[in-house]
Amino acid sequence: MSLLSRPPAVLVLEDGRTFRGRAYGASGRTVGEAVFATGMTGYQETLTDPSYYGQIVVQTSPHIGNTGVNDEDDESNGYWVSGYVVREASRRVSNWRATESLEDRLRRRGIVGISGVDTRALTRHLRDRGAMRAGIFSGDELQLDAAAQLVAVRDTPPMAGSRLVDRVTTAQAYTVPAVGEKRLTVVAYDLGIKSATPELLAARGIEVRVVPASTPFEDVEAMDPDGVFFSNGPGDPAASDHEVDVIRQVLGAGIPFFGICFGNQLLGRALGFGTFKLAFGHRGANQPVLDVATGKVEITCQNHGFAVDAPIGDPVTAPQESFGRVQVSHIALNDRVVEGLQCLDIPAFSVQFHPESAAGPHDSQGLFDRFADMMTGRRTATRA
């Protein structure tokens, strides 16, 4: 379908700016927080990442959909974005693995989108003004007058203060068996977990017991795991007191802990640090991060709008003093945001980026080996 043959649509930002284009995917109305993602590939993984729940994703890459979608690369069972914004939607699918076009998938999944938008101008606006609430209107919803559309956008709850993990977590616990000989057992809290994460743990001989976000520590303790993992996920970490309390009990019990993305923010809170909302966040598969210990720069996959407020530099005593010393282990090179925490007196660490990186790059997958080594070391020391 050519761009001009598509029905009209409009994107409305909460500050009143509008971008007109053409309907893409499902038609209707959708609202959420407008954010931009800078990856040139991996749009299917983006759409199926639960961390994007409640967000309208703007793709900065100008041409989207050329490889279609398939039935193997989804990172979860759902398509979680609230809406989708592209500049030029591919009119042809060209990949041997594709099972349908991206637009057909969006339409079937009920994702309201807009194409033909000047995404460069939109991205610059969001960089200058910050991520903000937005709405996409097409079909019958396009008949609403501009004032009513703006009211609908401004009535949307802001991301700050929102607890969203309950919307994306698994309803029932399940187990991903170890590949080959079982070496270790990990309890993984699903705060919006991506399927590649337990698969990468399982590939290292780790049985992964994925549990809902509401799981109490007593249930974890009863499983006697070698380690506890907290996944990525959406929403404001300041609204997740239950999860913070669980982490503190895990740390207090001396159980090795590894967290990524949302899990990193929650470890920061558990250690006593604050968190804050970034102006426009980090989203995409091309985010440079410095590993403080090695001096190496890793290109990472990220999706977060909040960050930990911890001092960069020498180790400090955690505000929750019983957990000892902690050091910022990774730093974002674009804006010096905290990208990782390393506890020095207890077995715990976390990173803000996504080391599973299903769509690439794979610079940071060694962190799963580090977690396995930490658990093996604790088991050996316990048995000695």
Side-chain angles (χ1 to χ4, degrees), residues 35-38 52 55 127 261 278-289 300-307 331-339 352-354:
V35 301
F36 60 87
T38 58
Y52 279 111
Q55 296 177 325
R127 278 184 60 90
C261 195
L278 296 167
F280 47 80
H282 303 160
R283 297 174 180 87
N286 49 7
Q287 305 286 334
V289 168
T300 67
C301 179
Q302 299 194 21
N303 171 19
H304 65 107
F306 294 84
I331 304 168
L333 291 180
N334 286 332
D335 55 11
R336 293 188 62 79
V337 164
V338 172
E339 290 284 346
Q352 185 59 62
F353 45 92
H354 291 212

Side-chain angles (χ1 to χ4, degrees), residues 227-244:
V228 172
F229 172 82
F230 268 51
S231 79
N232 58 288
D236 188 342
S240 290
D241 291 343
H242 162 73
E243 290 78 10
V244 170

Side-chain angles (χ1 to χ4, degrees), residues 49-69:
D49 178 354
S51 298
Y52 279 111
Y53 181 91
Q55 296 177 325
I56 294 175
V57 174
V58 180
Q59 295 278 185
T60 62
S61 184
H63 193 226
I64 296 294
N66 58 306
T67 57
V69 294

Side-chain angles (χ1 to χ4, degrees), residues 333-352:
L333 291 180
N334 286 332
D335 55 11
R336 293 188 62 79
V337 164
V338 172
E339 290 284 346
L341 298 169
Q342 173 67 59
C343 294
L344 303 180
D345 298 316
I346 56 175
F349 72 101
S350 60
V351 292
Q352 185 59 62

Side-chain angles (χ1 to χ4, degrees), residues 31 38 74 156 162 164 178 190 195 214 228 265 288 321 328 332 346:
V31 292
T38 58
D74 287 353
T156 306
S162 293
L164 301 179
D190 177 8
S195 60
S214 60
V228 172
Q265 296 159 18
E321 296 182 2
V328 171
I346 56 175

Side-chain angles (χ1 to χ4, degrees), residues 35-365:
V35 301
F36 60 87
T38 58
M40 296 182 68
T41 61
Y43 55 78
Q44 182 172 344
E45 288 83 354
T46 293
L47 290 162
T48 56
D49 178 354
S51 298
Y52 279 111
Y53 181 91
Q55 296 177 325
I56 294 175
V57 174
V58 180
Q59 295 278 185
T60 62
S61 184
H63 193 226
I64 296 294
N66 58 306
T67 57
V69 294
N70 58 60
D71 296 327
E72 300 172 3
D73 291 344
D74 287 353
E75 279 299 302
S76 68
N77 293 326
Y79 275 60
W80 299 99
V81 300
S82 290
Y84 202 50
V85 184
V86 302
R87 177 163 186 154
E88 183 177 350
S90 176
R91 289 173 286 174
R92 181 177 301 169
V93 174
S94 181
N95 188 277
W96 66 274
R97 298 176 66 232
T99 56
E100 63 182 320
S101 73
L102 173 58
E103 181 167 28
D104 286 345
R105 180 68 61 88
L106 292 173
R107 189 179 294 118
R108 186 161 59 82
R109 289 284 189 161
I111 304 299
V112 175
I114 183 171
S115 61
V117 170
D118 185 346
T119 51
R120 185 171 185 270
L122 174 55
T123 298
R124 287 174 65 90
H125 188 74
L126 295 175
R127 278 184 60 90
D128 290 343
R129 305 292 181 88
M132 64 182 75
R133 292 168 293 181
I136 301 173
F137 302 86
S138 59
D140 292 342
E141 296 291 337
L142 193 61
Q143 305 308 311
L144 288 173
D145 61 44
Q149 291 173 348
L150 187 56
V151 168
V153 169
R154 291 177 175 174
D155 283 346
T156 306
M159 190 61 67
S162 293
R163 177 178 170 84
L164 301 179
V165 294
D166 299 327
R167 313 278 184 90
V168 300
T169 190
T170 181
Q172 302 291 334
Y174 61 93
T175 298
V176 178
V179 176
E181 180 183 358
K182 175 185 169 182
R183 300 169 49 220
L184 300 160
T185 301
V186 163
V187 172
Y189 271 73
D190 177 8
L191 312 177
I193 200 167
K194 296 161 70 176
S195 60
T197 303
E199 290 172 1
L200 284 168
L201 289 168
R204 289 158 171 79
I206 300 171
E207 179 181 278
V208 185
R209 300 178 184 177
V210 183
V211 299
S214 60
T215 303
F217 174 71
E218 291 73 21
D219 290 2
V220 174
E221 197 173 30
M223 287 184 265
D224 191 26
D226 296 293
V228 172
F229 172 82
F230 268 51
S231 79
N232 58 288
D236 188 342
S240 290
D241 291 343
H242 162 73
E243 290 78 10
V244 170
D245 183 61
V246 169
I247 294 175
R248 285 177 175 161
Q249 293 180 79
V250 169
L251 302 182
I255 303 172
F257 174 88
F258 178 29
I260 67 170
C261 195
F262 202 64
N264 174 69
Q265 296 159 18
L266 295 178
L267 175 61
R269 282 199 60 204
L271 294 172
F273 297 111
T275 56
F276 64 98
K277 194 174 191 306
L278 296 167
F280 47 80
H282 303 160
R283 297 174 180 87
N286 49 7
Q287 305 286 334
V289 168
L290 173 68
D291 183 331
V292 173
T294 65
K296 293 182 179 179
V297 175
E298 299 177 359
I299 304 303
T300 67
C301 179
Q302 299 194 21
N303 171 19
H304 65 107
F306 294 84
V308 177
D309 185 10
I312 293 173
D314 295 333
V316 298
T317 299
Q320 290 284 330
E321 296 182 2
S322 61
F323 297 134
R325 296 167 301 148
V326 61
Q327 184 171 25
V328 171
S329 60
H330 296 76
I331 304 168
L333 291 180
N334 286 332
D335 55 11
R336 293 188 62 79
V337 164
V338 172
E339 290 284 346
L341 298 169
Q342 173 67 59
C343 294
L344 303 180
D345 298 316
I346 56 175
F349 72 101
S350 60
V351 292
Q352 185 59 62
F353 45 92
H354 291 212
E356 82 290 338
S357 306
H362 301 144
D363 295 21
S364 306
Q365 287 190 0

